Amino acid sequence: MILPSRYELSAPLTAGGMGEIYKCTDTHLNREVILKVLKKGEEARRLLDEQKALLQIRSRHVVQLYDIIEIKEDGNTNQALILEFIDGDTLTPGCQSLDNEYLKTLWQIACGLSAIHASGIIHRDIKPSNIKIDSSGNLKILDFGLSRRHGEDAATVNAIGTPIFMAPELWKKSDVSFDNSIDVYAFAITALALKKDQRIPATLTAYPPGKIEPGELNEYLKGIPSDIIGLLEDCLSHDTQKRPHISEIEKTLNRHLLHNKHRALLVANGATYELNKDSTNVNVKIASLGEISINYDGYQFIVKSQSGQVTANNRNIANGEALPHCCVLTFGTGSSRRFITFDVSNPEVMP
């Protein structure tokens, strides 16, 4: 096999339906990479087009496509992909306890899928064996061998995929059009498959899968926040329009992972007030101009009560409303107004 001089072949890893995979060294950047040689034919050309779209994706939760090259072997010229080498293990069914780390795993998968869908790609084969975790704890979605562009080539004449992860609409005998909601369905099945007991409602393991009853997943996901369970049930709907966007799932998981991790600071009358998980209430009064009481519920900073004239960023706020994470509170009107800054730290979910 003759490669461009930049790459040095290390060893073969696997051979699959779409080609062979090798470990290589990128001598320009001194890093290990994966070389995927595509077999000739129409399917390889289609896959190459799909992979080019991945050049636009910049997500730490999606395997990166670095280069598209030509190689020579036995007098023939083939196309090949240079992909990110992930030094880590593949996710396996039953590898997760139902705890915060489980939510973080689902969040990372949802982040990767959000980036994929935002780039107009349908992955089409989301499952644990197509997700690896690197040495830094980052989850990476890989294997785009079945991927399609949304709206252009999203159709099939045969049921293609991994049976238990395939959405019910893919089991039709006639020509089937699909969209990225099939990845959302597979995401929910993956969530069930990853938990330690691997218990999944029997109706979902049928070919084709049946419907689950509202609330049925409560038994299988005890201890997980109810709104997340509800979203996963919606992901499994046979009505594709009722499946949530993966970005909604990502945001909901992010919200729970940041529970009780925010801090807010206010400075008034020379005093500093801090709201956090250990100090959840504050009451600020500025002379006779106005008074406001704020509560931190672990997710947001909620106005409990107020009197006088108090606005946030020059807008009236209602009791029960969440304050913006950074705003200016104004007490009073006209020339007698007083201002207080309300600043909230913005923690991030880290793998």
Side-chain angles (χ1 to χ4, degrees), residues 184-332:
V184 173
Y185 182 93
F187 169 85
I189 297 294
T190 296
L192 290 168
L194 287 175
K195 59 195 187 68
K196 271 193 174 179
D197 60 18
Q198 298 182 56
R199 292 174 61 235
I200 296 177
T203 186
L204 297 178
T205 62
Y207 303 147
K211 298 179 181 180
I212 60 171
E213 297 296 325
E216 188 172 347
L217 291 190
N218 291 336
E219 174 190 350
Y220 296 86
L221 295 169
K222 288 180 179 178
I224 298 301
S226 59
D227 56 342
I228 293 176
I229 295 176
L231 278 176
L232 290 175
E233 287 193 349
D234 290 343
C235 291
L236 298 170
S237 174
H238 280 225
D239 183 346
T240 61
Q241 297 301 310
K242 291 184 178 179
R243 294 177 198 159
H245 290 288
I246 196 67
S247 58
E248 179 185 349
I249 300 168
E250 175 194 343
K251 290 176 183 176
T252 302
L253 288 163
N254 185 82
R255 179 174 180 267
H256 283 285
L257 288 167
L258 294 180
H259 181 245
N260 276 335
K261 294 183 179 178
H262 308 87
R263 293 171 60 248
L265 289 176
L266 302 92
V267 178
N269 296 327
T272 299
Y273 302 86
E274 180 175 332
L275 285 164
N276 55 46
K277 66 181 179 64
D278 298 315
S279 179
T280 58
N281 293 284
V282 67
N283 189 76
V284 179
K285 182 176 182 180
I286 304 296
S288 60
L289 300 178
E291 184 174 2
I292 189 170
S293 179
I294 305 169
N295 171 257
Y296 175 48
D297 67 357
Y299 300 102
Q300 301 180 93
F301 297 89
I302 308 297
V303 176
K304 288 180 61 180
S305 63
Q306 58 185 304
S307 61
Q309 181 67 36
V310 183
T311 61
N313 290 341
N314 294 319
R315 186 179 66 83
N316 291 326
I317 45 177
N319 293 339
E321 184 178 345
L323 285 173
H325 272 204
C326 286
C327 64
V328 175
L329 299 177
T330 303
F331 292 75

Side-chain angles (χ1 to χ4, degrees), residues 48-64:
L48 186 60
D49 288 340
E50 301 303 336
Q51 296 284 1
K52 286 179 180 177
L54 296 180
L55 288 168
Q56 303 172 23
I57 299 179
R58 290 293 176 265
S59 169
R60 66 182 181 186
H61 302 295
V62 179
V63 64
Q64 294 296 289

Side-chain angles (χ1 to χ4, degrees), residues 11-39:
L13 295 179
T14 61
M18 291 306 299
E20 298 176 338
I21 297 176
Y22 299 85
K23 187 176 177 181
C24 292
T25 300
D26 180 342
T27 59
H28 286 193
L29 297 176
N30 192 29
R31 66 182 177 187
E32 293 179 311
V33 295
I34 292 295
L35 170 72
K36 186 173 184 179
V37 184
L38 303 180
K39 293 181 179 178

Side-chain angles (χ1 to χ4, degrees), residues 96-110 187 223-225 228-229 232 252-254 256-257 349:
Q96 300 269 311
S97 298
L98 292 180
D99 54 19
N100 215 51
E101 287 304 309
Y102 173 75
L103 296 183
K104 192 177 292 186
T105 295
L106 298 188
W107 172 77
Q108 290 195 67
I109 299 170
F187 169 85
I224 298 301
I228 293 176
I229 295 176
L232 290 175
T252 302
L253 288 163
N254 185 82
H256 283 285
L257 288 167
V349 181

